[in-house]
Amino acid sequence: MPVETRRPLISGNWKMNQNHFEAIQLIQKLTYLVGKDDFDAVDVSVHPPFTDIRSVQTLIEADDLRFALGAQNCHQDDKGAFTGEVSPVFLQKLNVSYVIVGHSERRELFGETDATVREKVAAVLRNKMTPIICVGETLTEREAGSTAEKVTGQVAAAIDGCSPAQVGGLVIAYEPIWAIGTGRTATPADAQEVCSAIRSTVGGRAGAEAATAVRIQYGGSVKAGTIQELMSQPDIDGALVGGASLDPEEFARIVQYRLHESPGV
Ligand code: PGA
């Protein structure tokens, strides 16, 4: 599959922000800012907190909006005695399309391991949704020169057990932990280098077709001013946007990166 057939995916990870009233307002504002031409060129997903998902789903379906609905996490089992957890089955029933899996905040703050991530990837696929698998190195790991080893190890662990066809349909988000919420972005060249290593790892595990098809996002302080140069890298197919996705004008400008006149604008 030629590179140009990979559709870009820009995803807004709202984290633990926006109650369901605020969520509706944010989607309504975005609806005025993101137009048909944008959706024709780019897939756009929004990932509100669980308590907002039903409200956002209702709005998307009532107004026929082209935002894809996403979640930020789910449990690896379909049901059971897991107090406080949310089943992937429930998300699928709400027409959720994408589920973020293994975000570094989940790994660091909630003890998710590569093994948990692998189970969640399987759970999301079993329920006919697309996982956005997050991988990334800490600053210490980057300074020690172990970025590629860390990131490709996380990728290999996450896709273990998936068929080549499943792997081709995945989204992998490369998010250097030191760049998340810090205002520091990896240089486009550094991000490209790691995303290329991710694609090679996918190729080694699942074959060339899966490697060409898999979509790789960059995440970590993405802003309207940095998106275009990131998106011009051959192995970067989209962005996972945190803080900037809460500002409708900024997020819309990120989605519209094609329209910016020159890199950095
Ligand atoms: P940020 O978050 O854009 O605020 O750095 C990205 C993420 O954590 O997905």
Side-chain angles (χ1 to χ4, degrees):
M1 190 194 295
V3 172
E4 56 271 21
T5 61
R6 286 200 299 268
R7 267 184 68 81
L9 172 64
I10 305 287
S11 303
N13 173 13
W14 297 2
K15 308 194 180 183
M16 199 173 74
N17 296 291
Q18 311 294 88
N19 63 41
H20 71 286
F21 294 114
E22 294 162 339
I24 290 170
Q25 286 173 356
L26 181 49
I27 295 291
Q28 283 170 334
K29 285 184 188 151
L30 280 174
T31 302
Y32 285 105
L33 296 164
V34 181
K36 180 179 177 306
D37 289 353
D38 303 318
F39 286 115
D40 285 347
V42 179
D43 290 338
V44 185
S45 66
V46 289
H47 300 252
F50 288 132
T51 50
D52 303 359
I53 288 181
R54 175 65 174 153
S55 308
V56 174
Q57 180 214 7
T58 305
L59 184 58
I60 286 177
E61 290 177 7
D63 293 353
D64 232 350
L65 307 180
R66 290 168 71 186
F67 294 104
L69 189 51
Q72 300 174 17
N73 179 34
C74 69
H75 195 266
Q76 56 270 42
D77 288 281
D78 287 352
K79 65 176 180 175
F82 302 106
T83 301
E85 290 293 311
V86 173
S87 160
V89 176
F90 306 161
L91 298 178
Q92 203 271 334
K93 270 271 179 242
L94 293 164
N95 291 343
V96 165
S97 305
Y98 296 96
V99 183
I100 297 171
V101 175
H103 190 280
S104 60
E105 287 151 18
R106 302 286 327 162
R107 294 179 192 254
E108 287 198 328
L109 305 173
F110 301 97
E112 291 194 8
T113 62
D114 281 346
T116 328
V117 172
R118 175 167 53 237
E119 286 182 53
K120 291 189 177 193
V121 168
V124 172
L125 290 171
R126 182 169 73 236
N127 287 286
K128 313 273 181 282
M129 299 176 290
T130 301
I132 297 179
I133 302 167
C134 298
V135 295
E137 81 286 4
T138 62
L139 190 55
T140 313
E141 288 161 341
R142 172 157 284 264
E143 285 169 349
S146 52
T147 298
E149 187 192 334
K150 167 77 180 293
V151 169
T152 58
Q154 287 178 321
V155 170
I159 66 175
D160 192 29
C162 294
S163 70
Q166 286 175 323
V167 173
L170 294 172
V171 179
I172 298 173
Y174 167 54
E175 298 204 302
I177 295 170
W178 48 270
I180 294 178
T182 57
R184 294 182 61 185
T185 324
T187 65
D190 282 347
Q192 162 58 26
E193 192 183 333
V194 180
C195 291
S196 162
I198 290 173
R199 203 176 296 286
S200 301
T201 299
V202 168
R205 302 243 152 193
E209 213 174 307
T212 311
V214 71
R215 291 190 288 178
I216 304 177
Q217 295 178 313
Y218 169 80
S221 297
V222 171
K223 302 267 185 311
T226 53
I227 182 72
Q228 195 194 40
E229 212 180 337
L230 288 163
M231 290 302 290
S232 69
Q233 305 300 316
D235 288 300
I236 299 181
D237 308 311
L240 182 54
V241 184
S245 71
L246 299 173
D247 175 341
E249 276 84 20
E250 183 79 10
F251 189 62
R253 290 185 62 217
I254 291 171
V255 169
Q256 293 157 348
Y257 67 91
R258 309 169 330 283
L259 310 177
H260 304 331
E261 278 174 5
S262 60
V265 172

